[in-house]
């Protein structure tokens, strides 16, 4: 039995207005200091107050939110008893909001013990609104939560389908002034979600169309959004929608090997998620296409117009990987870890930890080709020096 999960999604210019129709007593906005200083919390607060709600703020979210941060946020929620939790920000804020909401409803559950089976029994106290201020993670429509165990320096993937937000507000006004670097790396995250969602083991009829459309939109609009920013509102809006479409797609299928390796690089090297998964993607496609398992790269490359219908599967993967590298180059992103400033000695010193972290990541088993430990090391070596992963 399969499910397709989605919040109510309000999108396009003026989507934020939906907040002034919300019914309730009290809202807790979960966000970070950067969003506060950019003034993005103010229009949210204003509309919630116009709807008659008392508004409280928890502004301590940090990048890669820790288990402790979630415990602190849940304690604040229990203190002010909101009937709405409003996550506002990038993926870290939205993931923190989900975990804080669960901690508020289920104080008996430690944040790293939130698993996908059984019943959580949410929505006894509050519901969740997610408002993204980057066009990347798709966390406004998905349920997995990535937290960081600071003591053990590793990412912890938790979450339950019940913690899918109730309402996602995808308003392009909130991403109008994103800096170019964040536009580029979050945009490559969108592409990785779309391609892994389309080609992973759990791809399905309901997620395919969303992933395809999101991938098309990234190839068309990411270079424009990167180059012109606020001067190209159409490209901004399309990238914002593409992030949510890809979120719905991979959120109802899964991510795969580029995310396993990207999570490992993010946790060990403290580099941004989108930059890392986007950097890994063409290598993991080359590796996957070199195995025996059937892949869908040919179908995907043909749909995106990167190869003729007669190209064999591995050629399709090569053509797609080349197109992804061209796209990354066009938005000035590194194509290997060396380009990203990660030297040979530092890489050699980190390789064991990186390999162990990747092998522990749950997404590693969801691609068509499952790598051995030695193959993970080899793949990381290619990602470091820029050699194609054709083994
Ligand atoms: Zn991602």
């Amino acid at each position: 039995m399969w499910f397709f999960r989605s919040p109510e999604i309000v999108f396009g210019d003026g989507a934020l207005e939906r907040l002034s129709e919300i019914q309730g007593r009290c809202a807790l906005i979960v966000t970070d200091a950067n969003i506060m200083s950019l003034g993005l919390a103010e229009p949210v607060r204003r509309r919630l107050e116009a709807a008659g709600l008392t508004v409280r703020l928890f502004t301590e979210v940090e990048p890669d939110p820790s288990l402790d941060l979630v415990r602190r946020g849940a304690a604040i929620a229990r203190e002010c008893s909101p009937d709405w939790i409003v996550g506002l920000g990038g993926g870290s804020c939205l993931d923190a909001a989900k975990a804080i909401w669960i901690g508020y409803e289920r104080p008996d559950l430690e944040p790293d013990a939130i698993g996908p089976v059984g019943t959580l029994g949410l929505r006894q106290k509050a519901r969740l609104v997610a408002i993204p201020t980057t066009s990347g993670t798709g966390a406004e429509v998905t349920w997995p939560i990535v937290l960081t165990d600071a003591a053990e320096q590793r990412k912890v993937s938790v979450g339950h389908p019940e913690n899918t937000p109730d309402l996602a507000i995808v308003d392009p006004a909130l991403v109008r002034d994103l800096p170019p670097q964040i536009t580029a790396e979050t945009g490559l995250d969108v592409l990785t979600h779309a391609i892994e969602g389309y080609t992973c083991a759990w791809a399905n009829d309901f997620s395919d169309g969303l992933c395809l459309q999101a991938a098309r939109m990234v190839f068309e609009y990411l270079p424009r959004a990167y180059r012109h920013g606020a001067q190209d509102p159409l490209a901004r809006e399309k990238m914002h929608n593409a992030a949510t479409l890809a979120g719905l797609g991979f959120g109802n299928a899964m991510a795969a090997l580029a995310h396993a390796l990207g999570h490992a690089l993010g946790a060990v090297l403290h580099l941004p998620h989108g930059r890392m998964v986007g950097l890994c993607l063409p290598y993991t496609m080359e590796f996957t296409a070199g195995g025996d398992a059937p892949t869908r790269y040919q179908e995907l490359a043909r749909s995106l117009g990167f190869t003729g219908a007669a190209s064999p599967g591995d050629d399709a993967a090569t053509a797609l990987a080349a197109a992804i590298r061209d796209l990354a180059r066009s938005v000035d992103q590194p194509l290997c870890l060396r380009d990203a400033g990660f030297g040979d000695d530092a890489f050699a010193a980190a390789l064991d930890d990186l390999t162990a972290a990747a092998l522990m990541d749950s997404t590693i088993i969801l691609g068509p080709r499952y790598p051995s430990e030695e193959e993970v090391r080899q793949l990381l070596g290619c990602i470091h020096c820029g050699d194609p992963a054709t083994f």
Side-chain angles (χ1 to χ4, degrees), residues 136-138 186 188-190 192-193 196 250 255 258-259 263 273-274 277-278:
T137 65
T186 51
L188 292 176
D189 192 25
V190 176
T192 312
H193 295 158
E196 294 209 303
F250 96 102
H259 269 79
H263 285 155
H273 173 83
V277 297

Side-chain angles (χ1 to χ4, degrees), residues 60-119:
E60 294 173 32
V61 179
E62 64 232 2
D64 306 322
S66 66
L67 303 175
D68 268 348
L69 174 109
V70 171
R71 292 185 190 106
R72 282 207 306 281
I76 300 282
R78 286 195 290 276
E79 197 184 291
C80 61
S81 300
D83 45 9
W84 287 94
I85 305 278
V86 180
L88 172 69
S92 295
C93 288
L94 302 189
D95 278 5
K98 290 173 192 170
I100 286 169
W101 175 36
I102 298 168
Y104 167 47
E105 299 243 3
R106 289 285 309 270
D108 56 309
L109 204 58
E110 278 295 307
D112 53 352
I114 305 165
V117 292
T119 303

Side-chain angles (χ1 to χ4, degrees), residues 11 134-141 170 175 186-195 209-222 234-250:
F11 59 95
T134 59
S135 306
T137 65
E140 64 278 8
V141 292
V170 184
V175 292
T186 51
L188 292 176
D189 192 25
V190 176
L191 185 65
T192 312
H193 295 158
I195 291 182
L210 294 157
C211 291
L212 263 186
Q213 177 65 0
R216 277 196 198 108
M217 287 163 77
V218 174
F219 276 108
E220 184 168 354
Y221 292 105
L222 178 59
L234 178 67
R236 275 281 188 237
E237 180 175 356
K238 293 290 187 183
M239 279 308 299
H240 210 34
N241 290 346
T244 303
L245 291 173
L248 282 175
F250 96 102

